[in-house]
Amino acid sequence: MVLAGIILIGLLLGGRAVQLSVMEGGVHQALAAEQSSEPPVAAVGRGDILTSDGRKLATSLDRYEVVATPYLIDKPDEVAEALAGTIGPDTGLEAEDIKSKITERNASGSLGGYSIVGTVDPQTAEKVKSLGINGIDLSPTAERVYPDGMLASQLVGYLGEYGSPFGGLEARYDGSLGSGEDVSVTIDAAVQQELEGQLRNVMEKHRPKTAMGLVMRVEDGAIIALANTPGYDNNNFSEAKPETQRNRVLTDPYEPGSTFKPFTMAAALEENAITPESAFTIPDRIQVADRMIHDSEPHATEIMTPHTILEKSSNVGTIQVAQQLGGAGLEEYIRRFGFGEPTGIDLWGEDPGIVPAYEDWSGSSIGNIPIGQGITSTPLQLVTGYAALINGGTRVTPHVLEQEGKQEPGRRVISRKTSDIVRGMLQNVVANGSGHLAQIPGYTVGGKTGTSQKVDPETGAYAYRHISSFIGFAPASDPKYLTLIIADEPQTTFWGEVVAAPAAKKVLKFTLGYFNVPPDATETENDLNDVGVR
């Protein structure tokens, strides 16, 4: 019996030894690692957001949390002084701040078991480890930082304190970034800086509430730069006002005004309702149903062709063109160009804008919709529509994620012939018309100004507040890049040619030079581009 008992006890002890070494070995190894004197190695971090030229818009840095176990700490005053001298420069914490953290108490009033003192870099973590303080440990973590601060802040978005992304690329590609994958985007840092700099100049000179801008590659819809001003620094996200965090290029539709007129012209040309040589008798005002619509400036009755109508941005002439086409046909082409629906950009939060169905048009709709009133469009929709207008007539899908290989052409909207005609008209607008301040020596440039009134949300009527804009492209002979500048309620003047065109010119000129686009203007065209301010 004694021998049997000894054998039984031996078997039990042997089984327990196997359990500890094999079944629970991983747990005890982990516990041993936590007690190691070496700082633990940080886990795989979040992926970077990279511009097309290799700049980091967002990246994660290895950090260590200095963690206190208050009930294990003796002489908290001495510990607080020692830590302040070590981590103070990194964290901004003083001895009193640290003491309050290392003496935190739980709900029962006893000293707690866990308190984060601060976050430090690996070098400082080594210094904390060397102090050898009982009750002070290090825990690996990562800190999300934005090296260029305010650059493209609304587009990039923000990673919150607990790993929750807020807006932009951080939210849209959270799955990839969170798995440690880098995300490369079409944004070019140099062009983005130029765009944001010009928007700041517009803000300083004309004092609008906000300003927005966009640069797109015409061929495939790649977004080269996208900016909202005022912006904010994602490194100080908590200080940013909610209204500045929104990517208004995608989220805020507006009435585009005169920048919309080329779509009316393209639709009428495509349907053979007019020809480039059609002649229209244009007074300075026209009665449409119960509304009297004026041109921007009084003038004697003139004979105008479609070229002249766009060059002078005549409301009356554009309405007459639309009347030749008819409302149903115009609405069809507005939708063909992508208005009233999302563009399909690979970001979240896009507003589709509003295009009234033809059956809902009033008697005066044929007078306001052709000139960009009574409908709304986001800046992104407008630029995307222009790409189709001038690239030979096919839709593009705007995107910010780098794509491999050449993209397939989108849906055809208008013929190449119509696209060529309208592109020539828009070149004439810059050479001789309201867009003359966007001329770039050495290049043919096309574009259109816009000065649209805003609707008072309380009265539903147009108020004396304006959105000034200009959209331009170059080279006009073979468009490579499109630029849009928008200023909301400028205070000095409301004319788009004065507020927005000069900024668009500078952004477009920089972009052409930066990407080595060769000049295309002939001597005759350069002479046209020397036309002075009128």
Side-chain angles (χ1 to χ4, degrees), residues 15-36:
R16 179 58 175 164
V18 171
Q19 181 186 27
L20 289 173
S21 62
V22 179
M23 299 178 65
E24 298 182 7
V27 174
H28 289 281
Q29 287 173 13
L31 290 172
E34 289 181 10
Q35 301 302 319
S36 170

Side-chain angles (χ1 to χ4, degrees), residues 1 27 74 172 201 218 229 244 249 262 272 295 314 321 396 423 442 446 479 500 525:
M1 291 177 63
V27 174
D74 295 325
R172 175 63 180 83
N201 290 342
V218 173
T229 305
T244 66
V249 172
N272 296 314
D295 274 344
S314 170
V321 169
V396 299
R423 192 172 70 246
E525 288 164 332

Side-chain angles (χ1 to χ4, degrees), residues 30 59 79 91 154 203 258 326 387:
T59 190
V79 171
T91 62
Q154 295 94 343
M203 294 288 289
S258 293

Side-chain angles (χ1 to χ4, degrees), residues 296-307:
S296 58
E297 295 179 355
H299 62 83
T301 299
E302 299 179 44
I303 304 299
M304 296 186 189
T305 65
H307 280 83

